[in-house]
Amino acid sequence: MSTITTKDGTTIYYKDWGEGPAVTFSHGWPLNADMWDGQMLFLAQHGFRVVAHDRRGHGRSSQASSGNDMDGYADDLAAVVEALDLRGITMVGHSTGGGEVARYIGRHGTARLARAVLIAAVPPLLLKTPANPEGLPLEAFDGFRAALARDRAQAYRDFAPLFYGANRPGAQVSQGILDQFWLWSMQAGLKNAYESIKAFSETDFTRDLERFDVPTLVMHGEDDQVVPVRNSAKKSAQLIRGATEIYYPGLSHGLTATHPDLVNRDLLAFCQQAARKVA
């Protein structure tokens, strides 16, 4: 396998396909790099080098006992970027991965970046607080944690329809998509997935977003039941200078899998803009 070892001894798996301008992908909770295969194959076929890693504790990366927070995730992403010496990157993140991208920029800056893309991403803050009254209540995330500790296999089966909007009348989500969500989720360590809930729900990315100084695309499904669009993408776009926004009516949190043609079309157009600028 293609792996790097971080400073704390954690093994991070990554996949690296194609040649051309670099595009990195950070995945959502509790999945792994395979969630990006539809986007990676497409972009690799259109002249890009695509790199995606499994977050620590997820997929084929080792199940570290510590570092299961946004600082740790961002530093692991930086370690992959530096090990491969990637430059001029379009850095893409979905859901928790969007938080990872934001924290990477907050901690490591944009010297290696050309552009950024946040897809159904958790910033600026998911949790309901006095300063963020539109957020989701702590009880919702406590319920996630309790469900994982009790029966994580069933918890993931219950969560998948919400993730992909399969619970909506007339939804056309294949059984295969729901099955692969369960398969990938079960590859995450229980401690890692459990602690990641705090990371994606309670981290405030406001200052990270204010540090964005590269062209940024914000993409979000308007029927996202996991990361509501009004409390995430809409607010992030206001904090990121000059952000471009694309909203998809009726699409779910898992739009990269349910509607890859739409996502790939818009992602390719944005990546090509960066490639032309470098050229």
Side-chain angles (χ1 to χ4, degrees):
M1 293 197 303
S2 299
T3 62
I4 65 159
T5 302
T6 65
K7 292 179 180 179
D8 70 352
T10 301
T11 300
I12 302 295
Y13 165 86
Y14 67 91
K15 57 178 74 178
D16 183 355
W17 301 345
E19 297 179 352
V23 184
T24 64
F25 293 88
S26 296
H27 64 80
W29 178 93
L31 307 177
N32 60 50
D34 290 350
M35 71 151 281
W36 289 114
D37 279 1
Q39 286 67 51
M40 292 180 68
L41 177 62
F42 179 79
L43 289 181
Q45 292 171 335
H46 285 79
F48 290 87
R49 179 184 182 183
V50 290
V51 177
H53 69 287
D54 290 350
R55 186 169 297 119
R56 63 171 54 212
H58 298 67
R60 291 140 292 197
S61 294
S62 59
Q63 296 184 9
S65 180
S66 60
N68 301 304
D69 53 45
M70 282 297 166
D71 287 353
Y73 300 159
D75 291 350
D76 290 346
L77 174 57
V80 173
V81 165
E82 291 162 12
L84 299 179
D85 194 24
L86 302 178
R87 299 179 186 276
I89 305 165
T90 297
M91 189 170 278
V92 183
H94 173 267
S95 195
T96 299
E100 183 178 287
V101 168
R103 183 51 51 91
Y104 171 93
I105 292 174
R107 286 173 69 81
H108 300 278
T110 58
R112 291 179 177 266
L113 272 63
R115 299 193 165 222
V117 182
L118 304 180
I119 304 178
V122 297
L125 174 62
L126 271 188
L127 186 67
K128 181 178 181 179
T129 66
N132 186 42
E134 302 87 5
L136 299 173
L138 180 62
E139 292 77 16
F141 302 110
D142 286 342
F144 265 132
R145 282 183 278 261
L148 287 191
R150 181 173 58 251
D151 184 350
R152 68 182 179 126
Q154 188 59 48
Y156 292 140
R157 288 207 185 280
D158 293 341
F159 187 49
L162 193 76
F163 194 97
Y164 295 109
N167 58 341
R168 295 305 200 202
Q172 297 181 345
V173 180
S174 73
Q175 189 60 47
I177 285 178
L178 299 177
D179 289 347
Q180 72 179 8
F181 180 90
W182 184 85
L183 175 65
W184 294 335
S185 299
M186 289 299 292
Q187 294 176 34
L190 176 57
K191 186 176 190 291
N192 307 100
Y194 186 97
E195 293 180 356
S196 189
I197 294 172
K198 180 180 179 65
F200 72 66
S201 65
E202 298 184 31
T203 303
D204 187 339
F205 299 98
T206 299
R207 291 186 178 179
D208 303 303
L209 296 175
E210 291 172 347
R211 289 201 63 190
F212 279 46
D213 59 2
V214 294
T216 301
L217 174 61
V218 176
M219 309 166 71
H220 215 105
E222 292 185 348
D223 191 34
D224 191 325
Q225 301 171 72
V226 178
V227 180
V229 63
R230 292 189 178 279
N231 192 49
S232 53
K234 299 281 190 180
K235 291 183 177 180
S236 290
Q238 293 176 350
L239 292 166
I240 300 170
R241 293 186 298 276
T244 299
E245 302 167 74
I246 301 178
Y247 300 109
Y248 302 93
L251 266 60
S252 69
H253 190 60
L255 70 169
T256 58
T258 61
H259 293 79
D261 291 347
L262 292 178
V263 172
N264 292 351
R265 177 198 67 192
D266 295 334
L267 189 57
L268 174 63
F270 191 70
C271 291
Q272 287 175 331
Q273 291 173 17
R276 284 195 296 269
K277 185 174 182 180
V278 171

